[in-house]
Amino acid sequence: MKKSVLDLTVVENTRVNEKYVLIKLTHGQPLPEMLPGQFVEIRVDGTGKTFLRRPISINFVDKERNQLWLLVAVVGDGTRHIAQVKEGDVLNCVLPLGNGFTMPSDASQRVLLVGGGVGVAPLLYMGAEMKRMGCEPVFLLGARSKKDLLLLDEFARYGRVLVTTEDGSQGEQGFVTNHSVWGSEPFDRIATCGPKPMMVAVAKAAREKGIPCEASLENMMACGVGACLCCVEKTAEGNLCVCKEGPVFDINRLLWLN
């Protein structure tokens, strides 16, 4: 898929909670085609500390409004500067990068989308694209507490939303793999993104049930094209750059469960 370097204009920057912002971007020309699971690399301007671009998952593509949504976790100097943009500001982005999730082969497939933390971001666009093709997903979203849950109203537009919180403040108490849906409903596919321990647990549960599963890795990515080698993951095929060969991998290609 062709990559573009575009100056995207900020339409809106909304504070989701104390750690996350949702930035909506647009362009004077139609945005390039983007797939669920792909990401963008954003140039960080106005700081002398951050020299490399920052990778951000594609949260949603609003094709009617020609908007790209990015859910940004503020964790360091680079994302802090990105999070401070205002309406009318410009972000220089390389997009789309990486490989996306495998979409259902037909509308009858039952797909479970499992996310935690900022890892919920790419699952919104995947759910929306599934709904567009007539396949309604089930979202299973986990967080430490109710205040850490993200964009629940947006997810509810495209499928059924199930929730777990570690403190029991919303949904079922525990981790995503503790949710009762695992024992009560069958699924044909699973897609997951979030902290590695969570994804390993989801991958283990999927393998035990014989359900095909893909995971979107969150390794540190700097260049986005496989040149800097900082995002290498050991796989059954040897060391692979997550930014180029992923970020989405079939769990059978990974060594997590071996």
Side-chain angles (χ1 to χ4, degrees):
M1 184 176 289
K2 182 180 178 182
K3 301 174 182 61
S4 302
V5 182
L6 299 175
D7 285 329
L8 301 182
T9 303
V10 177
V11 176
E12 183 180 320
N13 182 358
T14 302
R15 175 68 63 169
V16 178
N17 60 25
E18 60 183 16
K19 185 178 178 182
Y20 295 92
V21 298
L22 177 62
I23 300 173
K24 299 180 181 181
L25 304 162
T26 193
H27 193 262
Q29 299 295 322
L31 292 169
E33 180 185 359
M34 291 172 268
L35 302 175
Q38 292 186 304
F39 66 99
V40 308
E41 287 273 1
I42 301 177
R43 190 178 70 203
V44 183
D45 297 323
T47 172
K49 299 179 181 179
T50 306
F51 303 100
L52 299 173
R53 291 177 180 263
R54 288 296 181 263
I56 305 294
S57 294
I58 293 169
N59 177 223
F60 186 73
V61 179
D62 186 333
K63 297 176 183 178
E64 292 184 1
R65 294 180 173 82
N66 197 42
Q67 290 181 2
L68 166 65
W69 296 12
L70 301 176
L71 183 62
V72 180
V74 183
V75 294
D77 186 69
T79 50
R80 188 176 302 111
H81 273 76
I82 293 171
Q84 292 172 352
V85 295
K86 298 178 177 60
E87 181 181 348
D89 288 347
V90 171
L91 288 177
N92 183 268
C93 301
V94 182
L95 75 164
L97 295 169
N99 299 302
F101 288 105
T102 300
M103 298 301 288
S105 57
D106 61 72
S108 67
Q109 284 202 319
R110 303 195 75 250
V111 184
L112 180 66
L113 307 183
V114 187
V118 76
V120 305
L123 302 182
L124 179 63
Y125 185 34
M126 183 175 183
E129 289 296 280
M130 287 176 57
K131 185 69 177 291
R132 186 177 61 83
M133 63 179 286
C135 180
E136 186 167 333
V138 176
F139 298 103
L140 176 53
L141 309 177
R144 291 180 179 177
S145 67
K146 179 179 179 178
K147 65 181 179 62
D148 299 311
L149 292 165
L150 302 168
L151 307 181
L152 294 187
D153 290 343
E154 291 294 337
F155 282 103
R157 294 175 60 190
Y158 304 108
R160 183 157 55 102
V161 179
L162 307 175
V163 167
T164 65
T165 51
E166 294 177 31
D167 64 1
S169 54
Q170 185 164 335
E172 296 188 16
Q173 185 168 9
F175 301 118
V176 288
T177 46
N178 301 134
H179 197 281
S180 58
V181 73
W182 291 94
S184 62
E185 298 183 33
F187 292 99
D188 299 303
R189 296 192 64 85
I190 295 173
T192 185
C193 184
K196 184 175 179 179
M198 184 209 79
M199 291 195 292
V200 171
V202 171
K204 181 179 179 181
R207 179 172 288 185
E208 289 174 350
K209 293 179 176 295
I211 306 173
C213 179
E214 290 181 331
S216 179
L217 276 58
E218 296 185 321
N219 297 33
M220 180 70 70
M221 293 182 283
C223 71
V225 294
C228 69
L229 304 180
C230 73
C231 65
V232 166
E233 177 79 15
K234 293 181 180 179
T235 75
E237 303 153 38
N239 292 338
L240 296 178
C241 289
V242 169
C243 68
K244 185 176 181 181
E245 303 297 332
V248 178
F249 288 88
D250 186 297
I251 60 169
N252 292 318
R253 298 178 67 191
L254 303 171
L255 301 180
W256 292 353
L257 305 181
N258 294 347

